[in-house]
Amino acid sequence: MALMARFGTEAKPISGGQSLTPMMNMRIARPAHLVDLNDLLELDFIRVADGVVEIGAMTRHARVASAPEVVRELPLLAEAANTIGHYAIRQRGTLGGSLVHADPAAQLPLIAVTLGAEIVLKSVRGLRIVAAQDFFLSIMTVDIAEDEILTSVRFPAMGRSTGWAFDLVSRRRGDFAMASVALALDMDDAGRVSSLRFGIGGVSPVPARLEVVEQAAFGHQLQAGMIAALAAQASAEIDPEDTPQLPATYLRELVDLLSRRSLKKATETLGETV
Ligand SMILES: Cc1cc2nc3c(=O)[nH]c(=O)nc-3n(C[C@H](O)[C@H](O)[C@H](O)COP(=O)(O)OP(=O)(O)OC[C@H]3O[C@@H](n4cnc5c(N)ncnc54)[C@H](O)[C@@H]3O)c2cc1C
């Protein structure tokens, strides 16, 4: 914290280096000083207490994907972390680095927004907690001051009976997603939706929840017709950039496909978490 306060805009923290070093190689980032967080072993932790899973910023993607506490309490997060890049990247990349880098297609920011996580930031001035939905401001831009370090993320534990799904489409296995969907679903005893969190990534500058779709699902059974209607609504709700590489019509089709697959899978995983 003291180094960050001392060097201000001249310095950048480095965690896994999986995004910062490519940016430096391409001369997109040119920090005068690097503040290496890798010795801060106290930031590599997973704690479960009072319905909250707090994960330290230096926890590597591979540990997030496989830690029994995460698999049990946050299966959606574990599954998404396991799809990040390749094995070597998951061994080095960290939760904190991914959230601060804030690639619009990244898995962990999407899950943080979908599950309503809190981001814990520290500086010599003290502690600040920001809701994930307010943390991501624009492409690779987050609400963090130049002297702040992201120290942990607090996720509300998923209910034991909550259904969930994470799905993405990328050009090749291990590439960043062109579009991704993350869902957490609860049903009442009559099999009607009592809560749906519907997160979407890759198709807008920051990951977002599709609240219109969440509300439309409320109180309904998720039969095939309803799933198709909700997926069509999700596809209509997004407003992706139209580029020659990724036409908006194609992205809408991807979102329709991912939404249908995810809603079906979420209903199948209901009550599965033990
Ligand atoms: C080939 C390749 C494929 C990849 N594929 C994917 C993918 O499919 N999905 C995906 O999500 N990611 C992917 N990544 C990125 C990877 O997940 C990165 O690990 C992650 O985005 C950044 O984490 P890091 O720990 O490496 O951060 P770093 O590269 O060390 O830092 C990234 C940024 O965050 C800042 N920072 C780091 N830690 C902190 C902290 N604790 N507090 C404040 N600021 C901090 C740094 O200053 C820098 O600006 C890929 C990377 C590569 C090289």
Side-chain angles (χ1 to χ4, degrees):
M1 315 292 165
L3 285 173
M4 293 304 295
R6 183 168 151 205
F7 292 114
T9 46
E10 303 259 281
K12 268 202 170 289
I14 184 160
S15 295
Q18 298 302 297
S19 296
L20 184 53
T21 36
M23 301 273 280
M24 290 170 67
N25 283 343
M26 292 184 278
R27 305 292 187 265
I28 296 168
R30 291 167 172 258
H33 304 279
L34 289 175
V35 176
D36 188 355
L37 305 186
N38 283 277
D39 284 343
L40 300 180
L41 301 181
E42 64 272 27
L43 294 188
D44 181 0
F45 68 85
I46 299 170
R47 279 196 289 264
V48 185
D50 303 324
V52 174
V53 186
E54 183 164 10
I55 306 182
M58 287 304 292
T59 311
R60 314 277 170 184
H61 304 328
R63 186 172 174 211
V64 172
S66 61
E69 308 93 307
V70 182
V71 172
R72 188 180 64 236
E73 307 288 343
L74 296 166
L76 177 62
L77 174 64
E79 170 112 345
N82 201 36
T83 66
I84 297 173
H86 305 281
Y87 179 82
I89 289 148
R90 293 195 294 274
Q91 296 297 321
R92 291 300 302 164
T94 65
L95 174 63
S98 178
L99 266 58
V100 174
H101 185 63
D103 189 295
Q107 283 85 335
L108 302 182
L110 170 62
I111 304 302
V113 167
T114 303
L115 292 180
E118 290 178 340
I119 317 289
V120 182
L121 305 163
K122 278 189 192 159
S123 69
V124 289
R125 296 172 291 119
L127 180 94
R128 198 162 66 93
I129 296 173
V130 183
Q133 68 191 43
D134 301 326
F135 184 66
F136 301 101
L137 301 176
S138 184
I139 297 177
M140 295 180 184
T141 309
V142 295
D143 176 11
I144 189 168
E146 58 199 34
D147 61 344
E148 282 178 323
I149 296 279
L150 192 160
T151 53
S152 69
V153 184
R154 296 174 183 162
F155 293 90
M158 293 168 66
R160 289 298 152 93
S161 57
T162 301
W164 57 274
F166 174 78
D167 202 355
L168 61 78
V169 174
S170 58
R171 283 194 182 84
R172 296 171 307 185
R173 190 175 163 80
D175 280 5
F176 272 97
M178 292 186 274
S180 51
V181 164
L183 301 184
L185 170 71
D186 287 294
M187 298 276 207
D188 62 19
D189 291 342
R192 289 183 294 248
V193 175
S194 58
S195 160
L196 173 65
R197 287 178 166 268
F198 195 123
I200 189 122
V203 296
S204 52
V206 295
R209 276 174 58 193
L210 295 183
E211 288 175 15
V212 174
V213 182
E214 294 176 354
Q215 283 155 18
F218 185 79
H220 291 279
Q221 294 185 333
L222 290 186
Q223 317 286 20
M226 189 65 197
I227 286 179
L230 293 171
Q233 192 175 22
S235 162
E237 190 63 20
I238 61 166
D239 185 18
E241 204 185 330
D242 191 30
T243 65
Q245 296 79 21
L246 277 178
T249 46
Y250 178 65
L251 284 169
R252 285 189 194 285
E253 279 178 31
L254 281 189
V255 167
D256 184 86
L257 170 81
L258 289 170
S259 302
R260 270 187 284 123
R261 284 205 311 222
S262 301
L263 284 162
K264 186 163 180 292
K265 187 191 163 200
T267 58
E268 287 164 2
T269 56
L270 276 166
E272 217 176 58
T273 317
V274 183

